[in-house]
Every structure is written in C-alpha cells, then in structure tokens.
Amino acid sequence: MKTTLRRLAPPVGLVLVQGTILAILGPYNTNEFGMPWVWIYWTSLMGLGLMAAYAFERVFDRHLGDWPRPAYAVAQSIAVTLPVTLAVAGIQYLTGGPFPLEILPMIFFFVWVIAIVIVTITMVVEGRMGGSGSARAGAGDGGPGEGPAIGAALTEKLPVRLREAPILALQAEDHYLRVHTPLGDSLILMRLSDAIAAVEALDGARTHRSWWVAREAVTDADKSGGRATLTLSTGVQAPVSRTHARTLREAGWF
C-alpha cells in the first residue's frame, strides 16, 4: 500500500500543479468558467491525459522504443490528445449544446499544443530527451554489484538488505526505478540516467530505453520473433531494442 502511494504521489502532484497553472492562465477563454470550475476542468483533463499516457506507454515502449526521443514525445502527445479532445468536445456539448463537427480538428490542435508542451517538459525532467542513445559498457574490473564500484547515490536509496548485493539490472518504471539483485528487487525514486551513471564502472550496458543490464547477470539470449530478450540469473527477462541490439551483438553479448 505504501509503495503504491509513493508511486502515485509524483504523477498526482504533477497533475495538480499542471492543472493549477493552466487554471490560473485560463487559456482558450476557460477563465470564463470561474473558480473552482476552471481548476476542476483543467485538473480533470490533465488527469485524463496522464491515464492515457500510462495506457499507451507500454505499447509505445514495445513498438517505438527505438525512436529518437523528440519523435517519441510527438507520438505520445498525439496519443494523449485523442481522448482529451473527445472529453473537451463532450464538455462543450454538455455545457453549450450541439456544435459543428468540423471544429473538432481545431479543438484537437488546441489540445495538442498543450499536450506536446507538457509531454516535453515531463520527459526533460525525467531525463528522457537525450536522443535514442547507445548502449554503455562499464569500465570496471570487478563483477556487477561490487561495493566500491557502485555510486552512493544509488546504494543509499536501496533497502539495507540489498546494499551489498550485486546489481543485475536497472529498470525504469514511470517516475521510479526498479533495481534487480539476486536477493530480490526494490523500487526507488531515481532516474535511469542517474542510476546508470552510478554503475558506470560495472561491466554492463543499456539494452533498451528503460533497461540497463549487468553482463554477468545474463544466462540466456533469445533472438526469436524479431526481438532479442536477455534472461537474467533470477529469471527476469530484459528486452533489447533494435537501437542497442547491434552494439550488444558487436560486444559479444549474443
């Protein structure tokens, strides 16, 4: 329960902040609603957009994980705009009566302008706009999880029982990071880019936009179905995107 609340707190807080800012600005004459309705209007739309973003995220990660971040942001903003546009049209219909369907493209554009700004800001804050990137191999001499090789910025966030355990993989989940070890995993509040910097001395690589894997943790590599998957010693399967597959192949991972 506590973990769920910790995961929900940042996105819910972001929705409230975004909704409040838009309520104050009152774009597209929404300030005519007056308080508190303009605030309810914008926070509700921001909440709907957030749910849409989460609903599409796994599909996007699977099929668009190789896209450059700016293109990914545009695609995500369009996906978010679709349900929000329908919601705006529905609200206008309920509050102002019938309206011509030909204005839907205009409503879509107005919603998309806000969506692309918010998606871009969110991705920049999460450190996800730095291009498609390439796999990074660690330069350390030791195996994954050696105490001196892992930055304190990462280990201090882990439960005490996991701080000395080898790091097998890092997995981004929304605003959080799941750290995989032989003793179990832990969900911490940290950006994947920061965590990768903390383990840069280890022999590992970025395998996907949302994954970093320690080389010694890999027990099997499956390349069937046009997609590569790495199986770790714990049975966890880490995806390999096309962006990183070539680098990993050249490095002898599979």
Side-chain angles (χ1 to χ4, degrees), residues 70-239:
Y72 186 96
V74 171
Q76 188 177 49
S77 68
I78 292 175
V80 167
T81 299
L82 290 171
V84 175
T85 296
L86 294 178
V88 171
I91 292 172
Q92 287 197 211
Y93 177 81
L94 293 174
T95 58
F99 62 95
L101 291 178
E102 53 264 28
I103 71 172
L104 276 176
M106 181 180 66
I107 295 176
F108 180 91
F109 175 76
F110 287 156
V111 173
W112 179 78
V113 169
I114 294 176
I116 188 63
V117 171
I118 290 177
V119 168
T120 301
I121 291 174
T122 301
M123 294 183 76
V124 168
V125 169
E126 293 178 355
R128 296 162 61 181
M129 288 295 290
S132 58
S134 59
R136 294 172 54 183
D141 295 328
E146 286 188 18
I150 304 176
L154 172 60
T155 56
E156 289 179 356
K157 292 179 179 290
L158 293 173
V160 175
R161 66 183 181 86
L162 299 182
R163 290 181 182 176
E164 299 298 325
I167 302 297
L168 304 181
L170 305 171
Q171 176 188 4
E173 294 186 11
D174 300 331
H175 300 276
Y176 286 80
L177 180 78
R178 188 172 298 279
V179 181
H180 296 272
T181 79
L183 302 181
D185 60 70
S186 178
L187 198 64
I188 63 175
L189 182 59
M190 190 175 192
R191 296 187 306 176
L192 179 60
S193 57
D194 292 337
I196 291 176
V199 298
E200 63 181 352
L202 303 184
D203 184 9
R206 189 81 170 259
T207 67
H208 186 273
R209 188 174 66 86
S210 303
W211 283 80
W212 175 95
V213 173
R215 185 165 187 165
E216 292 186 3
V218 179
T219 58
D220 186 39
D222 180 15
K223 295 180 288 182
S224 61
R227 288 277 183 172
T229 302
L230 302 177
T231 300
L232 309 186
S233 56
T234 55
V236 172
Q237 292 188 323

Side-chain angles (χ1 to χ4, degrees), residues 11 15 44-61 72 75-87 111 115 119 174:
V15 164
S44 297
L45 291 180
M46 293 301 101
L48 176 60
L50 178 69
M51 289 187 290
Y54 283 167
F56 283 106
E57 188 170 43
R58 289 193 176 183
V59 176
F60 279 17
D61 281 351
Y72 186 96
Q76 188 177 49
S77 68
I78 292 175
V80 167
T81 299
L82 290 171
V84 175
T85 296
L86 294 178
V111 173
V119 168
D174 300 331

